[in-house]
Amino acid sequence: MNAFYERIDKVAHKLLEQSQALALPVNLEVVADFLGLAVLTRPLEEEYSGFLAVPEKTIVVNSRHALVRRRFTAAHEIGHYKLHRKKKPNLPAFIDRAVYFRRASGDDGNEVDRHMEMQANAFAAGLLMPEYLLDEYLDKHPDVDIGQTAGIKQMADEFDVSRPAMEYRLRNLGFLLPTSF
């Protein structure tokens, strides 16, 4: 794992320890409660995954999206809260669109640093699929072949994430050989 992911994984792991949400699948309600964040599920326009209203300490996720996507969106917004709210103190909200990349925007609608979006995605992956839980799972289930789609799907189901998210995470951590995404 490179330094980019290591640093963010440490922040996510520390939050899991502090909130005592160390079990599988990670209970995001416990994590959000620990941070004093409300997580609401509401129907939004299809193009929006969700948003973090910073002053209100509220995350809203799109109820029209699949549960695994809503979980990733909530974890992504928790990432913005932990990593970025103090860096962008005048930004009232991080608004994430359901497109090929996530975008944060303020009142003026200007795009905010794409790097922050990558960080929030990495944080969400580290929060929902922490390396130590992946290690534990593979130790307890030596029959799971993560080189096969069925094995990745089995792990994704246990972690309550999408199969592509699990595959991406396993590749980033070096469990699987890198390939073009």
Side-chain angles (χ1 to χ4, degrees):
M1 178 178 3
N2 68 33
F4 172 82
Y5 291 106
E6 283 182 30
R7 184 182 67 75
I8 290 172
D9 268 13
K10 284 180 184 177
V11 175
H13 183 76
K14 183 177 180 182
L15 178 58
L16 288 170
E17 286 179 335
Q18 291 172 329
S19 64
Q20 299 180 355
L22 299 168
L24 180 68
V26 170
N27 187 333
L28 290 178
E29 288 180 28
V30 169
V31 174
D33 285 347
F34 174 78
L35 294 171
L37 295 170
V39 179
L40 308 174
T41 305
R42 299 287 187 267
L44 302 173
E45 291 181 32
E46 185 59 31
E47 70 180 284
Y48 295 101
S49 294
F51 62 89
L52 165 65
V54 180
E56 294 81 8
K57 295 181 78 171
T58 301
I59 292 170
V60 177
V61 296
N62 194 338
S63 63
R64 294 179 175 153
H65 292 170
L67 176 61
V68 293
R69 187 171 185 169
R70 293 192 312 257
R71 281 177 48 80
F72 195 89
T73 296
H76 175 97
E77 301 307 337
I78 291 170
H80 279 310
Y81 185 80
K82 285 294 291 176
L83 302 171
H84 305 131
R85 79 180 189 282
K86 292 178 182 172
K87 291 179 182 176
K88 298 285 184 179
N90 296 324
L91 190 66
F94 290 87
I95 302 169
D96 292 302
R97 294 180 183 269
V99 292
Y100 297 107
F101 66 94
R102 291 170 167 255
R103 179 172 59 198
S105 60
D107 285 342
D108 58 5
N110 288 334
E111 187 170 329
V112 176
D113 191 1
R114 186 172 184 264
H115 188 69
M116 287 194 323
E117 294 305 312
M118 291 172 54
Q119 289 176 331
N121 282 339
F123 182 91
L127 192 66
L128 294 171
M129 300 166 276
E131 187 172 10
Y132 75 93
L133 281 180
L134 293 169
D135 283 331
E136 280 180 16
Y137 185 86
L138 290 171
D139 286 346
K140 290 179 183 175
H141 301 89
D143 57 319
V144 173
D145 183 357
I146 61 173
Q148 300 292 321
T149 301
I152 294 171
K153 170 108 175 68
Q154 180 180 338
M155 287 186 71
D157 290 347
E158 291 292 324
F159 282 75
D160 207 4
V161 298
S162 71
R163 189 201 52 76
M166 178 59 72
E167 183 174 355
Y168 193 84
R169 179 70 170 158
L170 291 170
R171 288 193 193 289
N172 279 335
L173 291 174
F175 286 94
L176 294 172
L177 293 176
T179 110
S180 58
F181 291 100

